[in-house]
Every structure is written in structure tokens, then in C-alpha cells.
Amino acid sequence: MASAVRIQREPFDAGAEIRALTEGRTDIGAVVTFSGLCRDEGGALSALELEHYAGMAEEELERVAAEARARWPLQGATIIHRYGRIAPGEDIVLVVTASTHRRAAFEAAEFLMDYLKTRAPFWKKEHRADGARGDWVAAKDDDDAAASRWDSKKPG
Amino acid sequence: MASAVRIQREPFDAGAEIRALTEGRTDIGAVVTFSGLCRDEGGALSALELEHYAGMAEEELERVAAEARARWPLQGATIIHRYGRIAPGEDIVLVVTASTHRRAAFEAAEFLMDYLKTRAPFWKKEHRADGARGDWVAAKDDDDAAASRWDSKKPG
Amino acid sequence: MKIAYFAWVRERIGKESETVEPPAEVATVADLVRWLKTRGEEYAYAFENEGVVRAAIDRRHVKPQTSIANAREIAFFPPMTGG
Amino acid sequence: MKIAYFAWVRERIGKESETVEPPAEVATVADLVRWLKTRGEEYAYAFENEGVVRAAIDRRHVKPQTSIANAREIAFFPPMTGG
């Protein structure tokens, strides 16, 4: 199975990543992509600074991808996560899943996002537009709940 | 809200459609795309022929898109459906949803696919690789079940 | 009134569309299907399982019991398989 | 043993990493946190809510009761906010 995990400072190209998974293949019926973008929170933020634990971040994303492959019949999965300073409107994270069937591609993409949010060692710090000291983004209970719903759920 | 429904013979570019929804905006946090591709069913098919009801197809996709906008807080939604002869490996359909939050973008994209599968007037005919007469693809009970699960479900 | 056919309904009937003038007692979509089936083998074949073929009036999905009064275009087609 | 700190744990302690030699009775991650908190105000501040800070041993998430025997690198960090 085509599978790639990348951690990079540079932007990525979702279209190119979709093509990389599907080109030359005739057995894929469904490709789902998720792009997570930096929001400016109504103009309050000038950027997000993404810190990561180099080494562990790659390994954790590989573990999350392996877990998705074990749960759903995937023909491909790509995870790209950026670090460094990211301006509003720019991409932060990309997940692409390819499968014969749409439900598997949708569920696996949502699983990858839920899991990586609570397991991949990345932290966001806000840069405020007004120059005031920015805070570290707090983890959301929602994200823990979203990740834990997969603990008991079997692929449909 | 940026919203577009297109029915066309030509291929489309998922990356360009994502950019069209997000470019110049700083309020979008999540973009989900679904691409449906033509499979060759283990080499049995040489192509699919997509017939559609011109006029109604556009209107029905607009109705499906309006229903998604009424159910989820979306900042954009795009639906593109191709018709004509489509070779294995080529795209058939594209759905893109943009929202502040990832759950809304995921659910709306899945809803759009489930609904358009059972409501948009398109029909697939198989062209067989062995030259034998191809059949019209039969509708799946699964698709009806997938669409009807939204009848009672409220956005999460 | 114009009637359009799609996919295997079109193939069985052998035409894409036609203009018909059903008698006044044909009031609903189901009535229209029953009347069309009297017009020849090809129609009887297309509508052999009445529960299967779907209908739209003026580009909107309708049920068999829907009235065809004021319809400009009625379409018949199999369950959809797009996406 | 190398210890690495990230995000606001790093900012509060004022360093990215350091090498420490805890005494032999420090057996688990929780023991290590308690020992680190005795080393100065900055550590006490970073670990003021012991339930909040997460830990990894050799790049894998671990729980407070996990043994630190044979650990090469232990990392402490807040709940993750990537994605």
C-alpha cells in the first residue's frame, strides 16, 4: 500500500498528494482528503507557531497510519504535518485516504485526524495581531472525546 | 458562501477546487474533499458510460447542496459530476466542503455523497473489457441505507 | 405533455422522449404508467416492475400517487447510480 | 538520562533539554516528576498540575506509573494541539 508520513516546514499541494496515491491505479474507488488550515480567529491572530517533537512526531504519525490500515481496507494513506510559523489561510495538516469504498475512506480520514490531534506531539502557540503575548492553544476535551469514540467502534 | 455545482464532460482538478474555496480567506479551518473514481473491477471493465438528465441533474445537486448548507455551518461547498465515457482510474465525482470545524466539514461531505448517490439523476453503464454487452450498474440497497441514516440525524 | 426516458427505461422503450396526450382519467404518475403499458410491448417491458422505475415531474422527484396535472415534462428512469 | 521539554513546559523550565542522574529510588515517571519538582521553582511551576503534563519515553507515550528503567530519553509536554 502507498503510504507516506511527512513532517515539513514547507506548504504542501493536496492535489499532487491525491495524484500520488491514485496515478496509474484502476482499483481505487474513493479518495478522501482533509486539510486543516490556520484561522485568524476574527482577525485576532497574525500567525500560529507550530512546535513539534522531532523524531517522535514522525514515529507517532506512522503508528497512527498503521492503526488506520489495520482497521480499514485502504489502498493508500498520506499524512503531512507542517511545523514552524504558519499564517492565517495557510495549510497546517493534510490527510489523504484511498479505498475501494467511500465509507472506508471517509472513516479512516476522520479517524486519522481524531487520533493525530490527541497523539501527535505538536503544539500551537498563537501570535496575536495586536502584538500582545500569545498563548499556547489549549487542548480541547472535544478532541479527546472524538479520539476515544474510535476505541470501541468497529469499521462499518 | 462560495458554492458551486457543475456538471461536465471534462476532468476536474481537486487541488484547484480546494484553492477556489479557500484562497484569500482566513476563517476556514477545515476542508474535506471526496473524489469518486472509476474502478476496472479487476480488469473486467474498459470504461463506464455516465448518462444524466440534463437540467434536472444541476437542479438536484443544487438542492442537495442547499440541504447541506442548512444542516451544517459551511463556508463553502462544491459538487462536480462528470458524464460521458470515463476510463478506469479517472475521476467521476468531486465534493469539497469548507467549514470552521472539521466535524462539520467531514459530515457535510459524507452527507453530500450519500444524498447525491440516491437523488442525482445519473446512471452508469458498464463497458466490458472482453467486448461483451455491458450492463447498467444496479443501485445498491447500501446506498439507500446510507442516505436514509441522515433523515433522523442531527449535525454533531 | 413531454415524456423523457433514461438509462435502461430509454433502451427498453427505444426512444429518448416523446409527446403524448393521455386521456383525462389519467390523473397520477401511476395512472400514466398503467396507460403507457397499454401502448405496446416495449412499454410493458420497461415498466414490468412498477415499483422499480422512478419518476420526476418538471425536474423534481415525485411519487407514484403524485398528480400529473399541469406537468410540462415527466421523466421515467431507473434508481440512480451516480456518484 | 536525557530529559526534553516542549511547549509551555519548556518555557517554564527555561530549557529544551538536559541530562540528569536521578537517585536510584526514582523508579517511575511519576517519581521523576516529583524529584524534578525539588530541583527549583521553575520545575515546580512546570509540573504544578501533575495530571496535566504528559510524558514519552524513547518517543512513545507513557503513563505516570511507567518504569523509567533503561530509558534513554524522557520527554515532558502539555496535551497535544496539532492537526
Side-chain angles (χ1 to χ4, degrees):
Chain A
M1 192 199 71
S3 183
V5 163
R6 296 208 307 275
I7 293 177
Q8 62 189 42
R9 193 179 281 278
E10 300 71 34
F12 49 75
D13 176 347
E17 299 302 331
I18 296 173
R19 282 192 294 278
L21 280 190
T22 57
E23 216 150 52
R25 299 190 66 148
T26 53
D27 59 337
I28 293 174
V31 177
V32 170
T33 77
F34 176 90
S35 314
L37 288 81
C38 176
R39 288 181 284 126
D40 70 359
E41 306 291 355
L45 301 187
S46 61
L48 286 174
E49 185 82 30
L50 268 284
E51 178 170 333
H52 76 298
Y53 183 177
M56 180 171 170
E58 287 84 346
E59 290 180 16
E60 198 59 38
L61 292 185
E62 292 282 6
R63 285 190 278 269
V64 170
E67 179 70 26
R69 288 194 299 270
R71 288 175 178 232
W72 289 276
L74 299 180
Q75 282 140 334
T78 301
I79 307 175
I80 304 176
H81 205 303
R82 292 179 67 196
Y83 65 90
R85 189 182 174 101
I86 296 179
E90 286 187 44
D91 288 311
I92 298 171
V93 63
L94 178 74
V95 158
V96 189
T97 55
S99 180
T100 306
H101 300 293
R102 77 181 185 283
R103 186 67 68 89
F106 268 118
E107 288 193 352
E110 207 165 355
F111 168 86
L112 286 172
M113 281 308 304
D114 287 346
Y115 251 49
L116 81 79
K117 280 231 164 217
T118 59
R119 298 191 58 86
F122 289 85
W123 302 272
K124 292 189 183 104
K125 188 172 192 175
E126 299 176 343
H127 288 268
R128 295 182 54 88
D130 62 9
R133 194 173 151 281
D135 289 325
W136 290 93
V137 172
K140 294 194 190 78
D141 290 344
D142 273 7
D143 288 333
D144 282 338
S148 64
R149 77 196 161 109
W150 299 101
D151 293 348
S152 57
K153 197 172 176 180
K154 291 271 167 274
Chain B
M1 193 199 72
S3 182
V5 162
R6 296 209 307 275
I7 294 179
Q8 61 189 41
R9 193 179 281 277
E10 301 71 33
F12 48 76
D13 176 346
E17 299 303 331
I18 296 172
R19 280 191 296 279
L21 279 191
T22 57
E23 217 149 53
R25 299 190 65 148
T26 55
D27 59 337
I28 293 173
V31 177
V32 170
T33 78
F34 176 89
S35 314
L37 289 81
C38 176
R39 288 182 284 124
D40 70 359
E41 307 291 356
L45 300 188
S46 61
L48 285 175
E49 186 82 29
L50 268 285
E51 178 171 332
H52 77 299
Y53 182 178
M56 180 170 170
E58 287 85 345
E59 291 180 16
E60 198 59 38
L61 292 186
E62 292 283 5
R63 284 190 280 269
V64 170
E67 179 70 25
R69 287 194 301 269
R71 288 175 179 233
W72 289 276
L74 300 180
Q75 282 139 334
T78 301
I79 308 174
I80 304 176
H81 205 303
R82 292 179 65 195
Y83 64 90
R85 190 183 174 100
I86 296 178
E90 286 187 45
D91 288 311
I92 298 172
V93 63
L94 178 74
V95 158
V96 189
T97 56
S99 180
T100 307
H101 299 294
R102 75 182 187 281
R103 185 66 68 89
F106 268 120
E107 288 192 353
E110 207 166 354
F111 167 87
L112 286 172
M113 282 307 305
D114 286 346
Y115 251 48
L116 82 79
K117 280 231 165 216
T118 59
R119 299 191 57 88
F122 289 84
W123 301 274
K124 293 190 182 101
K125 189 171 193 175
E126 299 176 343
H127 288 268
R128 295 182 54 88
D130 63 8
R133 192 172 152 281
D135 288 325
W136 290 92
V137 172
K140 293 194 191 77
D141 291 343
D142 273 6
D143 288 332
D144 283 336
S148 64
R149 77 197 160 106
W150 299 101
D151 293 347
S152 57
K153 197 172 176 180
K154 292 271 167 274
Chain C
M1 144 192 328
K2 182 185 169 189
I3 310 194
Y5 307 107
F6 293 95
W8 55 253
V9 176
R10 169 180 57 71
E11 287 184 341
R12 289 183 180 190
I13 291 173
K15 56 184 95 171
E16 291 185 7
S17 66
E18 62 185 321
T19 301
V20 300
E21 294 291 340
E25 67 267 24
V26 171
T28 66
V29 171
D31 292 343
L32 181 61
V33 169
R34 275 189 293 273
W35 179 73
L36 286 168
K37 287 173 77 170
T38 66
R39 300 181 80 223
E41 274 182 5
E42 67 275 31
Y43 292 94
Y45 180 36
F47 293 106
E48 65 184 355
N49 292 305
E50 288 187 23
V52 171
V53 175
R54 311 290 178 92
I57 294 183
D58 296 335
R59 303 176 173 180
R60 283 181 176 269
H61 293 292
V62 294
K63 294 192 187 311
Q65 63 271 30
T66 304
S67 164
I68 63 170
N70 305 316
R72 288 182 302 274
E73 179 171 298
I74 303 183
F76 291 104
F77 42 77
M80 288 140 283
T81 56
Chain D
M1 139 193 332
K2 183 187 169 187
I3 310 196
Y5 308 106
F6 293 95
W8 55 253
V9 176
R10 170 181 56 71
E11 287 185 339
R12 289 182 179 190
I13 291 174
K15 56 185 94 171
E16 290 185 7
S17 67
E18 61 185 321
T19 301
V20 300
E21 295 291 342
E25 66 267 25
V26 171
T28 67
V29 171
D31 292 343
L32 180 60
V33 168
R34 275 189 293 273
W35 179 74
L36 285 169
K37 286 172 78 170
T38 67
R39 300 182 80 220
E41 276 181 4
E42 67 274 32
Y43 293 94
Y45 180 35
F47 293 105
E48 64 183 355
N49 292 306
E50 287 187 24
V52 171
V53 175
R54 313 289 179 92
I57 294 181
D58 296 337
R59 303 177 172 180
R60 285 181 175 268
H61 293 291
V62 294
K63 296 192 186 311
Q65 63 271 26
T66 304
S67 164
I68 62 170
N70 305 315
R72 287 182 303 274
E73 179 171 298
I74 303 184
F76 291 104
F77 43 77
M80 288 140 283
T81 56

